[in-house]
Amino acid sequence: MGAGGGAGAGTGGLDVPMLQRRLVEFAAARDWRPFHTPKNLVAALSVEASELMEIFQWLTPEESARVMDDADSAHRVTDEVADVLAYLLQLCEVLGIDALAALDAKIDRNERRFPVPEGP
C-alpha cells in the first residue's frame, strides 16, 4: 500500500501535509479515491494495525523489545508501521482532521486528567 520511495527517504524535509498530498496523488493516479471513504479507511487501518500486532503476538516481552535487532523482522515492523500511518493520515485528510493538532490537544487533556503525582 506504500506511496513509493521518492523525496525524503530519511525524514529530512518530510511533514504531514506533504505526505498526505503524496498519498492523495498516489490514490488519485490509480483511481482509488472513490474507495477511500472514512469507513473503508478505518477498516484498512484496523487490518494494518492487526498485521503489526501479529508480528508481536507470541513474542515474550524481552523478544518484543529486541524485534528491531533482526533485519527481517525490523523490515516487517517498519512496513506495517508505515501502512498504519498511511491509512491514519488518509483518514485525517478525508475527515479534515489535523493529526498533529489533535495529538497535541489530547496530550494536553491527558496532562490535566493524569497529573504528575506529588512527591512525599
Side-chain angles (χ1 to χ4, degrees):
M1 139 84 239
T11 56
L14 296 179
D15 61 42
V16 171
M18 186 271 301
L19 291 171
Q20 286 176 305
R21 255 190 323 279
R22 287 190 66 201
L23 289 165
V24 166
E25 291 167 4
F26 182 87
R30 290 150 183 84
D31 200 26
W32 291 352
R33 294 283 306 202
F35 304 104
H36 287 187
T37 64
K39 179 193 85 59
N40 288 351
L41 291 170
V42 168
L45 175 59
S46 176
V47 168
E48 296 300 339
S50 294
E51 289 178 6
L52 178 60
M53 183 176 63
E54 182 181 28
I55 297 167
F56 293 88
Q57 184 175 11
W58 301 113
L59 300 181
T60 66
E62 295 78 20
E63 290 169 334
S64 71
R66 295 187 311 268
V67 73
M68 299 304 282
D69 293 346
D70 175 71
D72 288 336
S73 63
H75 178 74
R76 288 179 58 213
V77 168
T78 301
D79 272 359
E80 296 306 335
V81 165
D83 287 343
V84 168
L85 183 57
Y87 280 120
L88 182 59
L89 291 179
Q90 289 175 78
L91 177 66
C92 288
E93 189 273 329
V94 165
L95 295 177
I97 296 170
D98 179 332
L100 297 182
L103 177 56
D104 188 51
K106 181 66 175 187
I107 293 169
D108 287 345
R109 285 193 305 278
N110 283 344
E111 287 174 337
R112 287 189 301 276
R113 198 169 154 209
F114 305 106
V116 175
E118 306 245 348

